[in-house]
Structures are given as C-alpha cells and as structure tokens.
C-alpha cells in the first residue's frame, strides 16, 4: 500500500505482486531484503546522525556479515578491526511473484518512478532493475538494429553471389544456417528451457559463423577439383577451429564478470 501511495493510484499495491509466506499468520509478504528493516521500513525511525546509522550497520555486520555484504556496494572497512565505515551504494530488493497478473504494471510503475525521482540530486542516483528490464532492453536494441542486420545479410548474399564460383551458394547458405538455428531452438525446447531475447541475438552470430563455414567448404571444393568428400576432409580442421574459438569466447563471456554490468 505504501508503494502504491508513492507510485500512484494506477500502480497495483505491492501485496498483490509480492512473494507470500504461506506459514505466516496472515499470509504476509516475504520480508524485504534491505537494511531499512533495521528501522522497520519507517523513515521516521531512521536516525539523523550518520554515526548512529553506522553503529546499527556495524552491529548487523557483526551478527550477519553476509547480509551487509549483499546489501551494500563498495564497502569501506577500517583496516584495524574490519568495521564498516562507509559504502557507495545500497541495494533495496522487492521480492515479487512472477505468476502475478499485476506484476508488469507494478514493475513499470516502479521503474518509471525511480527513473524520474531524485535524478537532480548531486549526491544521490537511483537505478531500477526489474525482472523484465533486461528483456525490454534487448527487445529495444533488436528492434532498433533489425534494419541494419537485414541490410548486412542482404549484402552478404549479394557478395556471395558475385564472388562465388556457384551463384546458388549464396541462396543455399542462409536456408541451411536457418535450419540449424531452428534445430537449436527445438533442442532447447525439448530440454525444457524457455527462449529469451538473447537467443535471437545469438541467431545472427550463428548465421555469420555458418556462412563463413560455407565459404570455406566452397573454397576447398574448387581447390580439390570439385571433389566434395576431399573438400570436406580438408576444410574440417578450419571449420572446427572457427567453431571452437566461438564456443570458447561465449563460454568466457558467460563466466566472467563485466564491471560495467555488475
């Protein structure tokens, strides 16, 4: 209800989208993962003194250090005893139920509010990230870059048709690659994994790698006197290396933290 008062009447109340604790007496919302719980989520209870706030955080850090580490960013500690003396950011989490029909409206209202509130304050910046934020950003990028991607594909097809020994290779390459992408989506669905916006971005990269492999096969096909088995044998190592380096690059990106993102 307090969130509705801040976000506006058009926003659903938080208790309509929160994660409910069934074992609680009144099936209340899961407690928010925030340092504001130290003061009962009431602004009137937050001390005016910085030292009093620091003392409360230090007391909590002594009991549950993991809680403080997950709630504060770039924590500054006293070298002598390790007590918390400052931090550059604080994380406020609102656990939500992904199955709630009101979730999209609540997240939209929350993100819009945070994006417009306190942005003119020189010492404070607010950033909002909802469960749909990543997908929405990817969709925006895909929609904006789709014409460029289609134009690039058209240029590749024209270049292949003009430079290849076989004009039909240009028109056979992309359908073949698209079939492999469709197979990948089918395998993902069979494994019970839902498709996301990232899958559609990767599809363009897979198409580029697939066309590159097609060019290699065609080149060796001409050099080996149009002997297809010999061409496949000769180009296999090159195709394996290009595909393997792509897999290694994606794996490195999946397991490495990017400072700009984190």
């Amino acid at each position: 209800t307090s969130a509705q008062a801040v976000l506006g009447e058009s926003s659903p109340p938080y208790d309509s989208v929160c994660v409910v604790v069934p074992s609680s007496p009144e099936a209340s919302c899961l407690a928010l993962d925030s340092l504001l719980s130290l003061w009962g989520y009431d602004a009137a209870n937050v001390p005016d003194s910085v030292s009093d706030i620091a003392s409360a955080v230090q007391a909590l850090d002594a009991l549950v250090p993991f809680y403080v580490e997950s709630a504060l960013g770039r924590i500054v500690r006293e070298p002598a005893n390790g007590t918390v003396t400052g931090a550059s950011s604080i994380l406020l989490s609102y656990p939500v139920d992904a199955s709630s029909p009101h979730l999209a409206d609540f997240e939209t209202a929350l993100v819009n509010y945070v994006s417009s509130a306190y942005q003119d304050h020189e010492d404070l910046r607010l950033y909002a990230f909802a469960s749909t934020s990543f997908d929405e950003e990817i969709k925006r990028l895909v929609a904006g870059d789709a014409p460029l991607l289609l134009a690039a594909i058209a240029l590749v097809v024209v270049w292949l048709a003009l430079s290849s020994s076989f004009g039909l290779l240009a028109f056979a390459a992309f359908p073949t690659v698209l079939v492999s992408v469709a197979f990948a989506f089918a395998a993902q669905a069979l494994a019970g994994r839902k498709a996301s916006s990232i899958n559609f971005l990767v599809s363009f990269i897979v198409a580029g790698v697939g066309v590159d492999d097609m060019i290699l096969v065609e080149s060796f096909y001409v050099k080996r006197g149009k002997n297809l088995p010999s061409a496949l044998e000769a180009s296999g190592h090159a195709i394996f290396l290009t595909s393997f380096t792509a897999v290694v690059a994606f794996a490195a990106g999946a397991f490495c933290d990017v400072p700009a993102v984190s």
Side-chain angles (χ1 to χ4, degrees), residues 69 89 128 147 153-154 179:
E69 289 285 349
S89 62
I153 290 175
V179 169

Side-chain angles (χ1 to χ4, degrees), residues 67-155:
Y67 189 90
V68 176
E69 289 285 349
S70 61
L72 295 179
R74 294 186 180 180
I75 298 176
V76 180
R77 295 183 179 274
E78 184 68 33
N81 51 25
T83 57
V84 178
T85 58
S88 62
S89 62
I90 180 172
L91 173 67
L92 306 178
S93 301
Y94 290 82
V96 293
D97 182 5
S99 62
S100 172
H102 308 292
L103 179 59
D105 293 335
F106 177 81
E107 289 189 338
T108 300
L110 180 62
V111 171
N112 290 339
Y113 171 76
V114 172
S115 300
S116 60
Y118 301 104
Q119 296 301 333
D120 57 344
H121 199 290
E122 60 180 9
D123 297 325
L124 177 66
R125 296 288 294 178
L126 301 180
Y127 301 94
F129 186 86
S131 61
T132 57
S133 296
F134 187 77
D135 283 341
E136 290 298 326
E137 182 65 16
I138 293 296
K139 289 178 182 177
R140 185 184 67 81
L141 292 175
V142 170
D145 295 342
L148 295 177
L149 292 172
L150 293 176
I153 290 175
L155 288 175

Side-chain angles (χ1 to χ4, degrees), residues 142-231:
V142 170
D145 295 342
L148 295 177
L149 292 172
L150 293 176
I153 290 175
L155 288 175
V156 171
V157 171
V158 172
W159 180 80
L160 281 175
L162 296 177
S163 62
S164 173
S165 302
F166 307 95
L168 292 179
L169 178 65
F171 302 96
F174 278 101
T176 304
V177 173
L178 292 178
V179 169
S180 67
V181 172
F183 175 82
F185 276 111
Q188 182 176 346
L190 186 62
R193 306 292 296 180
K194 293 184 178 179
S196 66
S197 302
I198 288 294
N199 294 104
F200 297 99
L201 288 179
V202 174
S203 299
F204 292 102
I205 300 176
V206 172
V209 174
V211 171
D212 181 56
D213 294 341
M214 186 77 71
I215 295 173
L216 286 173
V217 173
E218 188 267 344
S219 176
F220 279 100
Y221 182 71
V222 174
K223 291 180 179 179
R224 294 301 177 98
K226 298 184 179 181
N227 187 327
L228 184 58
S230 178

Side-chain angles (χ1 to χ4, degrees), residues 209 212-213 216 234-249:
V209 174
D212 181 56
D213 294 341
L216 286 173
S235 61
H237 294 88
I239 292 175
F240 170 78
L241 289 175
T242 56
S243 302
F244 180 74
T245 52
V247 171
V248 171

